[in-house]
Amino acid sequence: MGWNWWACPAFCHLQSYLPQSTPAGLVGLRAEELVTLRGNGLGERQHGDRVYDYDVYNDLGDPDADQALARPSLGGKEFPAPRRCRTGRPRNAADPSAEKKTRDFYVPRDEEFSEVKQLTFSAKTLYSLFNTLIPSLGNVFVDADLGFHHFKTIDSLFSVGFEVPELSKEGFWNALLPRLFAGTGNVMRFEPPGALETGDKFFWMKDEEFARQTLAGLNPYCLQLVTVCITRSKLDPEIYGPPESAITTELIESEIGGIMTVKESIERKKLFILDYHDILLPFVSKVRELKGTTLYGSRTIFFLTPEGTLRPLAIELCRPPMDGKPEWKHVYRPCWNSTDCWLWRLAKAHVLAHDSGIHQLVSHWLRTHCATEPYIIATNRQLSVMHPIYRLLHPHFRYTMEINSLARESLINAGGIIESSFSPGKYSLEICSAAYDQLWRFDYEALPKDLIRRGMAVEDKNAPHGLKLTIEDYPFANDGLVLWDTIKEWVTDYVTHYYPEPDLVEADSELQAWWTEIRTKGHADKKNEPWWPQLETSNDLIEILTIIIWVASGHHASVNFGQYAFAGYFPNRPTITRIKMPNEDPTEEEWKFFLKKPEAVLLATFPSKLQATRVMAVLNVLSNHSPDEEYIGDEMERSWSDEPLIKAAFEKFSGRLKVLEGIIDERNANEELKNRSGAGVLPYELLKPHSKPGVTGQGVPNSISI
């Protein structure tokens, strides 16, 4: 495609120009650059190309290796999803049999890890993890279904470890993965995760911690306000059974203890729900056909206490009519007798597995990694590197396409880590696609609108950030809104500098083509939705850019860098439940075994040794900050230093981010904020902007680079 003349430092340091204000000598170069990046639409893309394009393929299956790894090709009305291609395929091939089979996904060469990145800890670790370490664990634990027989065996993963004899390079793994290989030899031993180092070994069993983590944990995006007395499913009752929840008003009032009625608690905004019923129930029968896993639709109800903390009241687990059996649903409550207490613990394990799957597939992969790729492609296809909006966005797209290609090869692929170790199994990406179809909206990716949509906030001009939180001590929302406002103020200063006149946004041909392409090609399945923002004014542009930057930075950081801290000790967040509840159509023998050995049933419900250690190793690496990480507000784009107003705005932005760190420290030290401080409580630091390298549970990088 020719020499990267626009990538040289001298060219990149040029002044930014809007298309209509570009000096005559650069107009032709600008046009040539964009034509090159779009390609000619012919042939197949190979490594070394620098073409940005869309493709209808999102086939993560590998039927050539094993027919059991065949998967539907996601994309279109049946399985809507943002989609990307892979290399080695004739583009727009009419005959699928003509496609060359390869597991290697195409990444434009400008998006690949830099040479420096390739040599850093992070890149080497990822390749070694997926290609060597994970396969080796399958030989250590030959029986993939072997579980943990005692909790002390789980504890030994952190104290004693186990040998991985296939890893023969003496000292190599110790240097590459010091948190996994301590001492000498090839003994793999996990560092205790943050939640386990709080001094409370049994934190994971407690109802208050189960509830607290919905506000200050790994997946703070799913809790919703209850607004109706009886929750109803939207699914077809002819297929899935009666839509009414089994969690009745009488049951809730009994758990509240006569303090108020359900109607009063709803009016006073005291009831909240994790509702994974409708998104999971259509997959229950299919998932249950898979060996070694089960699934339910679930609802979990919480009550807001006078202290501002949440108390779980009830869990409903549902199975649709299947295998000739009628619908089964049961409600579990915190109890004061041994049998029901153990059933409650098991029900929580199932809900946590549901939350782990939704976190990984929806809050994390879909809403950050996956949805951001169309922004990257459209930006490179439609905005010249001289365009000021390209300059603003470019740092927030660093390495995302490369890291996503690694995910497609080893994490979300057929038989990969997600499918083999999370409850949805081989249907994981179908659930992700269903969530995209039913739930994803660009405008709701704005943090304030997301909070309002879930009933977690209402607009209030007199409140900080213009929002009044339904739960005042909501650590993710409180810290996130400061970061959101800081990003928006920076974007506002930047945009108003380049678009001082109201009509300049509509007159910018590149910008209009960029926004049109994001909507109609990048998110083609949603192109006709009425909720897409218009791009007519500076305020429209500010909101759009703030959403994109927030998703790539704050949103991703909040669901990624706490993965090992919260889920490294898997009883706190099991990724899969392997057996059904003991009281679901039990045989006499099954029920007697549960009554005799309830702890054994809980351990059998948890992931197997192979599943747990694979996930723990992956989460450890994915929670890691690379030594060359670029944190939000750290580095100024070179050309901005020549523009005093932009330089001053960036320095203000950087300064406000440093203030945010102090705010977070102060909040974590405030004993009145019981959702982020207290005995055995892990402080909430996921939105602290900066971090040292390693697994720290804090730090907000510019981009989705891990």
Side-chain angles (χ1 to χ4, degrees):
M1 287 292 181
W3 180 54
N4 284 11
W5 52 267
W6 49 84
C8 70
F11 185 84
C12 288
H13 195 50
L14 285 174
Q15 180 78 28
S16 294
Y17 297 104
L18 295 176
Q20 61 268 34
S21 62
T22 304
L26 295 177
V27 170
L29 298 178
R30 185 173 196 138
E32 180 186 341
E33 167 207 351
L34 293 174
V35 168
T36 300
L37 292 171
R38 293 169 190 157
N40 58 15
L42 302 175
E44 62 183 51
R45 282 161 280 174
Q46 303 292 342
H47 283 303
D49 289 347
R50 47 191 314 275
V51 174
Y52 293 82
D53 204 355
Y54 305 93
D55 192 292
V56 296
Y57 297 108
N58 199 8
D59 176 13
L60 300 172
D62 191 11
D64 287 352
D66 187 337
Q67 190 57 40
L69 299 179
R71 298 291 183 271
S73 181
L74 304 182
K77 291 183 179 180
E78 186 177 3
F79 297 111
R83 17 190 219 285
R84 290 286 295 111
C85 67
R86 51 167 106 197
T87 53
R89 295 175 179 269
R91 300 178 66 245
N92 301 318
D95 179 9
S97 64
E99 300 172 6
K100 297 181 180 179
K101 301 298 180 183
T102 174
R103 303 260 326 259
D104 192 16
F105 292 82
Y106 175 73
V107 177
R109 71 170 185 256
D110 289 354
E111 304 301 320
E112 294 178 346
F113 289 151
S114 67
E115 188 172 341
V116 173
K117 180 78 169 179
Q118 293 282 3
L119 298 174
T120 65
F121 170 87
S122 180
K124 289 191 296 184
T125 298
L126 286 169
Y127 290 120
S128 300
L129 173 77
F130 293 139
N131 296 323
T132 305
L133 178 57
I134 295 300
S136 297
L137 292 178
N139 295 322
V140 174
F141 302 107
V142 178
D143 182 358
D145 299 322
L146 181 65
F148 293 90
H149 297 300
H150 307 281
F151 274 94
K152 65 180 181 181
T153 312
I154 299 175
D155 295 339
S156 72
L157 296 174
F158 307 99
S159 58
V160 179
F162 55 91
E163 188 174 356
V164 189
E166 287 190 1
L167 307 179
S168 58
K169 294 182 180 180
E170 187 69 29
F172 172 79
W173 292 96
N174 309 71
L176 186 66
L177 292 166
R179 290 179 56 88
L180 299 182
F181 290 87
T184 58
N186 298 318
V187 175
M188 187 172 176
R189 186 171 73 231
F190 293 93
E191 287 276 338
L196 197 59
E197 290 187 306
T198 59
D200 184 356
K201 181 179 178 181
F202 301 104
F203 75 99
W204 62 276
M205 295 182 68
K206 297 180 178 179
D207 288 352
E208 59 266 32
E209 184 63 12
F210 170 61
R212 190 189 73 84
Q213 288 187 27
T214 65
L215 300 171
L218 190 54
N219 187 28
Y221 281 92
C222 292
L223 190 70
Q224 301 178 65
L225 180 70
V226 173
T227 57
V228 294
C229 289
I230 300 177
T231 303
R232 296 174 60 91
S233 170
K234 296 179 181 178
L235 299 174
D236 186 348
E238 294 293 323
I239 300 174
Y240 299 105
E244 294 83 9
S245 170
I247 302 176
T248 62
T249 56
E250 292 80 10
L251 185 150
I252 293 175
E253 288 173 358
S254 172
E255 286 299 315
I256 294 174
I259 298 174
M260 63 184 76
T261 66
V262 167
K263 183 179 179 181
E264 289 171 331
S265 64
I266 291 174
E267 290 173 350
R268 294 170 60 180
K269 299 184 178 181
K270 296 292 185 181
L271 290 181
F272 298 84
I273 187 171
L274 280 180
D275 192 347
Y276 298 140
H277 181 276
D278 284 12
I279 192 67
L280 294 180
L281 199 66
F283 294 89
V284 167
S285 60
K286 293 192 290 187
V287 168
R288 286 187 170 211
E289 294 175 357
L290 305 176
K291 180 184 176 183
T293 188
T294 192
L295 190 65
Y296 295 96
S298 68
R299 299 182 178 103
T300 307
I301 300 290
F302 301 87
F303 179 74
L304 182 64
T305 71
E307 291 184 316
T309 59
L310 291 174
R311 180 164 71 89
L313 301 181
I315 291 172
E316 178 187 28
L317 298 180
C318 307
R319 180 201 70 198
M322 55 180 288
D323 300 331
K325 298 178 181 179
E327 176 196 40
W328 181 91
K329 61 176 64 173
H330 193 88
V331 178
Y332 303 87
R333 295 186 279 176
C335 293
W336 302 104
N337 69 79
S338 181
T339 298
D340 288 338
C341 182
W342 274 103
L343 288 172
W344 170 251
R345 288 173 183 158
L346 287 161
K348 285 197 297 181
H350 283 276
V351 169
L352 288 165
H354 302 165
D355 193 65
S356 293
I358 296 298
H359 159 261
Q360 206 65 263
L361 295 169
V362 181
S363 301
H364 189 189
W365 168 253
L366 170 63
R367 292 180 63 180
T368 65
H369 287 260
C370 193
T372 295
E373 277 197 23
Y375 312 150
I376 300 171
I377 297 169
T379 298
N380 282 278
R381 284 170 56 85
Q382 301 298 341
L383 299 182
S384 164
V385 295
M386 288 182 279
H387 199 290
I389 301 306
Y390 177 95
R391 297 282 178 89
L392 176 66
L393 290 176
H394 187 254
H396 300 287
F397 296 155
R398 178 179 184 246
Y399 300 146
T400 298
M401 291 182 71
E402 174 77 349
I403 206 70
N404 284 4
S405 74
L406 289 175
R408 287 183 169 98
E409 289 180 16
S410 302
L411 284 175
I412 63 171
N413 59 306
I417 299 300
I418 300 297
E419 283 199 0
S420 63
S421 303
F422 284 73
S423 282
K426 65 186 285 186
Y427 302 102
S428 293
L429 263 291
E430 290 186 43
I431 289 178
C432 179
S433 294
Y436 178 72
D437 181 34
Q438 299 169 28
L439 305 175
W440 188 89
R441 285 179 52 159
F442 178 85
D443 55 337
Y444 284 173
E445 295 306 289
L447 177 59
K449 289 187 179 179
D450 173 72
L451 294 171
I452 293 170
R453 174 186 65 86
R454 294 189 283 122
M456 303 304 291
V458 294
E459 291 186 83
D460 184 345
K461 294 181 179 179
N462 298 319
H465 319 291
L467 292 182
K468 179 177 174 58
L469 292 178
T470 311
I471 300 176
E472 292 183 10
D473 181 16
Y474 186 177
F476 159 72
N478 281 304
D479 296 354
L481 286 170
V482 178
L483 180 56
W484 168 271
D485 280 358
T486 302
I487 293 171
K488 189 167 187 176
E489 182 178 331
W490 154 239
V491 173
T492 300
D493 290 342
Y494 189 94
V495 168
T496 53
H497 173 71
Y498 287 104
Y499 297 91
E501 302 298 329
D503 59 344
L504 288 177
V505 169
E506 279 197 281
D508 187 334
S509 57
E510 287 186 11
L511 192 65
Q512 293 297 327
W514 167 78
W515 184 234
T516 297
E517 184 158 299
I518 284 176
R519 293 181 289 110
T520 62
K521 291 187 177 180
H523 287 275
D525 292 308
K526 302 276 190 176
K527 64 183 178 182
N528 295 319
E529 297 290 351
W531 41 253
W532 284 104
Q534 297 297 312
L535 182 53
E536 298 173 348
T537 68
S538 296
N539 287 337
D540 297 334
L541 180 58
I542 289 165
E543 183 72 7
I544 289 167
L545 294 173
T546 304
I547 290 173
I548 292 174
I549 293 172
W550 161 256
V551 167
S553 56
H555 182 149
H556 179 258
S558 69
V559 297
N560 183 77
F561 293 104
Q563 290 190 89
Y564 192 70
F566 286 103
Y569 187 69
F570 67 84
N572 184 53
R573 286 186 65 81
T575 57
I576 193 170
T577 45
R578 296 188 294 147
I579 60 174
K580 63 183 177 64
M581 289 291 294
N583 65 322
E584 183 198 335
D585 303 331
T587 64
E588 184 177 352
E589 182 180 357
E590 288 172 339
W591 186 248
K592 285 183 177 180
F593 182 80
F594 164 66
L595 293 177
K596 185 177 181 180
K597 294 187 176 181
E599 182 179 298
V601 174
L602 179 60
L603 288 167
T605 301
F606 283 157
S608 69
K609 289 185 176 181
L610 178 59
Q611 290 168 331
T613 52
R614 278 178 168 175
V615 171
M616 290 165 69
V618 169
L619 296 187
N620 186 286
V621 173
L622 295 184
S623 301
N624 183 77
H625 286 293
S626 172
D628 73 335
E629 193 73 87
E630 292 182 2
Y631 296 98
I632 190 166
D634 256 10
E635 294 292 330
M636 187 186 305
E637 211 275 348
R638 287 181 63 195
S639 65
W640 297 341
S641 61
D642 295 333
E643 300 189 51
L645 290 177
I646 297 298
K647 180 181 179 182
F650 185 86
E651 289 173 345
K652 181 175 68 170
F653 173 54
S654 183
R656 287 194 66 187
L657 292 171
K658 291 180 173 64
V659 171
L660 174 56
E661 297 203 348
I663 291 173
I664 292 174
D665 288 338
E666 183 179 353
R667 287 172 173 171
N668 286 332
N670 185 347
E671 295 184 4
E672 297 299 314
L673 301 177
K674 300 185 184 301
N675 289 319
R676 61 192 309 154
S677 65
V681 170
L682 184 67
Y684 189 76
E685 299 182 310
L686 290 175
L687 291 173
K688 289 186 76 170
H690 303 98
S691 173
K692 62 183 180 181
V695 181
T696 64
Q698 56 187 250
V700 181
N702 269 325
S703 63
I704 303 165
S705 58
I706 187 69

